[in-house]
């Protein structure tokens, strides 16, 4: 049976670089990685693109795919859709104006902060909560890694997801429409999102609960940061550079939306914000048991410090948060001159249009926990897992190429591994003369690759 | 297939562990999501009851393709009047406890509401046995 591929993945494993160290396998929160032939292998449908593996890889064998930057020049109108965390990547002395100017110099004709989309979204979310308040807790769909995590590990909670577009899509829809209304042709508009994480790329390439995306391409934030910062270091300040004041275009609450508590602090009733994927998993376990079900709203983010901790960010996440909070405070306290009013008024005139397009389709459960589609078979396999677990040592050493003894037992029950992959079993079998040392060496080579057993270094 | 989990009376930090384990099993068996939800809510409520009121207890789970049977057997004070305990809002908790937000008397009725079948028997001074049955077909 051909497995259906549910998701597009932005994380790519480069076999030629992988050294089979198993760091990625051990940190994966959905147990999507196995080692075979000395290389990490990904089970596509289990992966939620959280990027834990990317961070853990010591040799850079895992990469985040992106669109070629030169693609922007295929379009006459080249829009950079930037999340505000980009502004938090640079040191204090770099002004927002400078960043914007250099982005223009690189070739973008327009720059638009995706957080402008939160203006319309906030109202829509409150309305949604009023209409669907009985389905407690309602869960934000802001973080695409969390949406997928819920699909594969907590399928029973897919009904709780707030079926509204994230700010990025709203911003893209608005800006495209605005340009068209100003006379641009749709096919001449290229919208490029500067992403802080892999999950957002995957969400653009295969939108959850939606068929198409208004976004034409995705460029990694670290790539843009390096390009912009290098240009600055080389003395380019941008054609439109002016010293002060900084041109803030977002309202304080919009600036903070992508940080932890950015959404929960804006929502009515009892709301909670949880960041970092393992914290999210622990909490969802409780929610699924019906514990603390009187929470109205949950903001869940896969990265520690939310988007400031995205895997494609360059700045330290704590400094980024500090910088963005300072910016928000500055706008609030000093009422600096900024042109957000113009954006606000323009977006306001499109509110009706945006509200019509803000909904997404039902998010379907994609449970990856089941041992078999057929319950009878699943029961047999479950019994098998139990029997195998009685033999395995429960030390979770990972030498079998599966992350835990339990994962190995499940792999065996599903015909993807052998009991002799376990090093403890190998030793036992050797003692009983059921396996000779040559065969057991072959098994280890099969899992970890020939190279690891090459000539001894002295 | 048969599974057993022990429950320690008074240890709230572990309350819910067995329910989570049972939930995992049902997910692995590809049981309908709606049934899993109802089972886990009923089971969790019952597990917490044992932690709150009994000295110790055991959860026995039997499952096959037709049904899930969860039996919670505890050693504890028992329930003197089960009919009364089954009424919504009935609680033996003092007004002080109720003020703190506990003892709303919704536990057992909530289990009954979620379970396909529920049976309860109790002996004062000995303990209580609660059986939750869920039909899968």
């Amino acid at each position: 049976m051909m497995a259906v591929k549910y998701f597009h993945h932005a994380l790519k494993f480069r076999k030629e670089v992988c050294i089979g160290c198993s760091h990625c396998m051990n940190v994966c929160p959905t147990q999507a990685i196995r080692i075979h032939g000395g290389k990490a292998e990904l089970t596509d449908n289990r992966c939620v693109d959280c990027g834990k593996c990317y961070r853990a890889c010591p040799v850079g064998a895992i990469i985040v795919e992106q669109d070629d930057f030169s693609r922007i020049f295929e379009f006459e109108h080249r829009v950079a859709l930037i999340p505000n965390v980009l502004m938090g990547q640079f040191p204090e002395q770099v002004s927002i104006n400078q960043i914007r100017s250099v982005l223009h110099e690189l070739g973008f004709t327009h720059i638009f902060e995706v957080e402008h989309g939160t203006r319309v979204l906030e109202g829509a979310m409150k309305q949604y909560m009023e209409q669907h308040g009985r389905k407690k807790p309602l869960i934000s769909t802001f973080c695409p890694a969390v949406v997928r995590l819920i699909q594969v590990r907590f399928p029973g909670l897919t009904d709780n997801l707030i079926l509204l577009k994230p700010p990025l899509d709203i911003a893209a829809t608005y800006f495209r429409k605005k340009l068209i209304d100003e006379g641009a042709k749709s096919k001449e508009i290229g919208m490029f999102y500067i992403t802080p994480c892999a999950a957002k790329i995957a969400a653009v390439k295969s939108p959850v609960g939606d068929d198409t995306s208004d976004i034409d391409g995705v460029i990694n934030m670290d790539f843009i940061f390096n390009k912009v910062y290098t240009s600055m270091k080389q003395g380019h300040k941008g054609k439109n550079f002016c010293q002060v004041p900084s041109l803030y275009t977002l309202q304080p609450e919009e600036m903070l939306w992508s940080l932890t508590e950015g959404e929960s602090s804006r929502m009515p009733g009892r709301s909670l914000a949880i960041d970092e994927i393992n914290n999210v998993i622990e909490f969802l376990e409780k929610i699924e048991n019906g514990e603390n079900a009187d929470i109205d709203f949950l903001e869940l983010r896969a990265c520690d410090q939310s988007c400031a901790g995205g895997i494609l960010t360059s700045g330290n996440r704590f400094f980024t948060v500090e910088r963005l909070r300072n910016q928000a405070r500055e706008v609030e306290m000093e009422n600096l001159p900024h042109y957000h009013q113009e954006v606000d008024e323009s977006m306001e005139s499109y509110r009706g249009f945006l509200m019509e397009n803000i909904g997404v389709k039902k998010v379907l459960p994609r449970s990856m926990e089941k041992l078999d589609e057929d319950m009878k078979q699943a029961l047999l396999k479950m019994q098998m897992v139990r029997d195998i677990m009685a033999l395995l040592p429960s030390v979770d050493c990972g030498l079998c190429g599966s992350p835990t003894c339990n994962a190995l037992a499940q792999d065996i029950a599903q015909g993807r591994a052998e009991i002799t992959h376990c090093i403890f079993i190998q030793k036992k079998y050797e003692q009983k003369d059921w396996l000779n040392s040559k065969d057991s060496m072959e098994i280890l080579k099969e899992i970890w690759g020939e190279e690891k057993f090459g000539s001894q270094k002295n | 297939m048969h599974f057993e989990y022990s429950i320690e009376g008074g240890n709230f930090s572990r309350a819910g562990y067995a329910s989570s384990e049972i939930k995992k099993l049902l997910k692995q068996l590809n049981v309908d999501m709606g049934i899993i939800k109802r089972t886990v809510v009923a089971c969790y409520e019952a597990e917490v009851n044992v932690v709150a009121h009994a000295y110790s207890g055991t959860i026995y789970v039997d499952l096959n393709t037709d049904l899930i049977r969860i039996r919670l057997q505890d050693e504890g004070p028992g329930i003197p009047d089960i009919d009364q305990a089954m009424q919504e809002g009935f609680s033996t908790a003092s007004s002080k406890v109720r003020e703190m937000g506990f003892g709303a008397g919704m536990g057992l009725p909530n289990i009954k509401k979620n379970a396909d079948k529920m049976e309860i028997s109790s002996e004062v001074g000995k303990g209580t046995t609660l059986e939750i049955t869920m039909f899968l077909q």
Side-chain angles (χ1 to χ4, degrees):
Chain A
M1 193 181 71
M2 253 284 279
V4 184
K5 196 174 175 211
Y6 290 126
F7 303 123
H8 174 94
H9 287 289
L11 293 164
K12 302 283 176 215
F13 285 58
R14 289 195 293 174
K15 275 212 151 103
E16 68 282 9
V17 183
C18 178
I19 55 167
C21 67
S22 78
H23 287 53
C24 56
M25 176 179 84
N26 292 322
V27 296
C28 177
T30 58
Q31 298 198 328
I33 302 169
R34 300 288 183 275
I35 309 289
H36 186 77
K39 307 288 173 188
E41 282 177 359
L42 184 71
T43 310
D44 274 357
N45 284 338
R46 273 181 174 265
C47 170
V48 299
D49 278 294
C50 72
K52 280 257 174 195
C53 54
Y54 176 89
R55 262 193 210 292
C57 180
V59 294
I62 302 168
I63 55 162
V64 182
E65 66 163 3
Q66 64 178 329
D67 288 299
D68 185 0
F69 181 75
S70 63
R71 263 201 66 207
I72 74 166
F73 297 104
E74 291 169 15
F75 300 89
E76 196 181 320
H77 309 281
R78 305 178 284 276
V79 185
L81 292 165
I82 59 170
N84 200 38
V85 285
L86 174 65
M87 299 308 183
Q89 304 303 304
F90 296 86
E92 292 303 315
Q93 61 272 24
V94 176
S95 77
I96 306 265
N97 259 5
Q98 240 172 315
I99 302 165
R100 294 179 73 99
S101 305
V102 177
L103 282 171
H104 277 299
E105 214 175 52
L106 290 177
F108 290 107
T109 55
H110 299 80
I111 294 158
F112 193 66
E113 285 86 352
V114 298
E115 280 84 359
H116 284 300
T118 65
R119 177 60 52 93
V120 175
L121 178 62
E122 187 178 325
M125 279 169 85
K126 286 176 177 163
Q127 206 178 321
Y128 190 98
M129 283 176 72
E130 257 171 48
Q131 285 162 357
H132 302 83
R134 288 168 58 95
K135 256 187 234 162
K136 279 186 190 181
L138 287 168
I139 302 171
S140 162
T141 44
F142 178 88
C143 176
V146 165
V147 174
R148 287 178 172 201
L149 177 74
I150 289 174
Q151 286 182 287
V152 304
R153 266 195 77 165
F154 303 97
L157 294 173
T158 47
D159 279 346
N160 296 57
L161 289 165
I162 296 180
L163 300 176
L164 298 174
K165 280 183 184 167
L168 166 63
D169 292 321
I170 300 166
T173 304
Y174 159 75
F175 210 74
R176 179 177 291 274
K177 176 87 171 128
K178 180 179 161 307
L179 288 177
I180 290 170
D181 289 351
E182 284 168 4
K185 290 197 183 78
S186 187
K187 63 175 195 305
E188 291 172 352
I189 304 169
M191 309 275 258
F192 292 85
Y193 176 55
I194 315 285
T195 184
C197 72
K200 289 251 167 65
I201 302 178
V204 167
K205 304 283 175 183
S206 55
V208 172
D210 219 339
D211 300 323
T212 53
S213 170
D214 268 314
I215 297 148
D216 300 286
V218 190
I219 300 164
N220 295 349
M221 190 177 281
D222 53 357
F223 173 85
I224 286 291
F225 172 83
N226 288 336
K227 239 173 144 54
V228 170
Y229 204 44
T230 305
S231 168
M232 282 176 184
K233 286 278 180 195
Q234 289 170 353
H236 296 271
K237 286 176 174 172
K239 291 183 193 106
N240 310 317
F241 178 68
C242 58
Q243 193 72 41
V244 265
S246 276
L247 211 52
Y248 292 115
T249 73
L250 293 167
Q251 299 278 18
E253 66 273 15
E254 295 171 328
M255 287 179 160
L256 301 176
W257 189 273
S258 67
L259 302 184
T260 304
E261 291 183 358
E263 289 174 276
S264 69
S265 63
R266 310 291 303 164
M267 290 301 125
R270 188 172 170 214
S271 40
L272 267 179
I274 292 150
D275 60 13
E276 206 279 324
I277 195 157
N278 289 311
N279 296 336
V280 170
I281 290 170
E282 185 189 327
F283 199 81
L284 288 176
E285 280 287 343
K286 280 187 182 296
I287 293 294
E288 212 182 30
N289 289 358
E291 248 182 282
N292 300 320
D294 60 333
I295 295 166
D296 298 292
F297 174 77
L298 274 182
E299 169 200 313
L300 306 173
R301 309 280 176 82
C303 293
D304 179 16
Q305 303 298 318
S306 295
C307 295
I311 58 168
L312 298 173
T313 57
S314 309
N316 174 281
R317 60 188 181 279
F318 301 104
F319 280 137
T320 302
V321 171
E322 187 206 23
R323 184 156 200 236
L324 297 182
R325 289 203 188 284
N326 286 343
Q327 281 171 9
R329 207 169 298 130
E330 221 172 301
V331 170
E332 203 157 26
M333 306 263 293
E334 298 182 33
N335 210 5
L336 287 167
H338 41 78
Y339 63 79
H340 71 246
Q341 245 158 343
E342 197 190 309
V343 179
D344 285 353
E345 279 161 23
S346 169
M347 279 201 90
E348 203 49 53
S349 66
Y350 283 95
R351 184 178 283 268
F353 167 75
L354 293 173
M355 286 297 279
E356 268 168 44
N357 292 288
I358 208 166
V360 292
K361 278 184 259 169
K362 206 167 151 51
V363 177
L364 298 172
R366 303 261 190 247
S367 177
M368 287 298 131
E369 308 278 299
K370 58 193 167 206
L371 289 167
D372 200 290
E373 291 288 340
D374 175 47
M375 198 181 154
K376 218 176 189 164
Q377 289 301 315
L379 260 170
L380 288 172
K381 287 177 183 175
M382 183 178 277
Q383 185 59 54
M384 207 170 152
V385 169
R386 265 184 117 182
D387 296 343
I388 296 164
M389 279 304 286
L391 301 171
L392 296 178
S394 289
V395 292
D396 296 342
C397 63
L399 283 170
C400 57
S402 297
T404 61
C405 289
N406 199 273
L408 174 65
Q410 291 188 21
D411 287 348
I412 296 168
Q414 289 172 314
R416 291 196 296 254
E418 306 282 336
I419 184 94
T420 47
H421 286 182
C422 172
I423 192 115
F424 286 77
I425 300 283
Q426 284 174 32
K427 289 282 156 206
K428 251 196 226 171
Y429 282 14
E430 276 179 43
Q431 279 228 307
K432 293 185 179 179
D433 276 334
W434 293 353
L435 194 72
N436 63 44
S437 63
K438 192 168 162 281
D439 288 342
S440 96
M441 182 56 89
E442 285 309 311
I443 294 168
L444 282 175
K445 279 182 184 168
E446 203 183 292
I447 301 166
W448 296 99
E450 293 273 346
E451 300 94 73
K452 286 208 167 57
F453 302 92
S455 59
Q456 202 73 45
K457 286 178 211 140
N458 282 318
Chain B
M1 214 177 315
H2 181 81
F3 297 86
E4 281 184 34
Y5 307 93
S6 60
I7 316 174
E8 196 186 326
N11 187 353
F12 284 96
S13 47
R14 241 182 110 76
Y17 173 79
S19 303
S20 276
E21 289 299 302
I22 293 166
K23 179 175 71 186
K24 256 181 233 163
L25 295 177
L26 300 181
K27 278 185 184 175
Q28 289 182 354
L29 293 178
N30 203 18
V31 170
D32 174 80
M33 256 348 260
I35 298 175
I36 295 183
K37 259 189 195 169
R38 285 192 290 117
T39 312
V40 171
V41 168
C43 185
Y44 176 73
E45 192 90 57
E47 187 182 350
V48 172
N49 269 350
V50 174
V51 173
H53 299 289
Y55 317 126
S56 68
T58 310
I59 303 185
Y60 304 92
V61 181
D62 283 286
L63 44 89
N64 57 48
T65 47
D66 297 323
L67 54 83
I68 314 162
R69 185 168 287 137
I70 302 168
R71 188 159 55 95
L72 296 98
Q73 201 171 323
D74 73 43
E75 285 171 33
I79 304 168
D81 187 338
I82 289 173
D83 286 340
Q84 208 172 26
M86 285 305 299
Q87 285 167 27
E88 259 182 45
F90 175 80
S91 170
T92 51
S94 66
S95 58
K96 206 170 172 187
V97 169
R98 280 159 175 265
E99 267 168 37
M100 293 192 296
F102 299 114
M106 296 302 292
L108 288 174
N110 200 20
I111 297 170
K112 196 177 169 68
K113 204 169 74 192
N114 282 288
D116 287 335
K117 208 171 119 194
M118 171 184 147
E119 277 171 52
I120 184 166
S121 63
S122 188
E123 202 178 324
V124 175
K126 276 257 172 85
T128 303
T129 300
L130 176 78
E131 196 171 89
I132 296 164
T133 309
M134 307 297 290
F135 300 108
L136 299 180
Q137 303 299 332

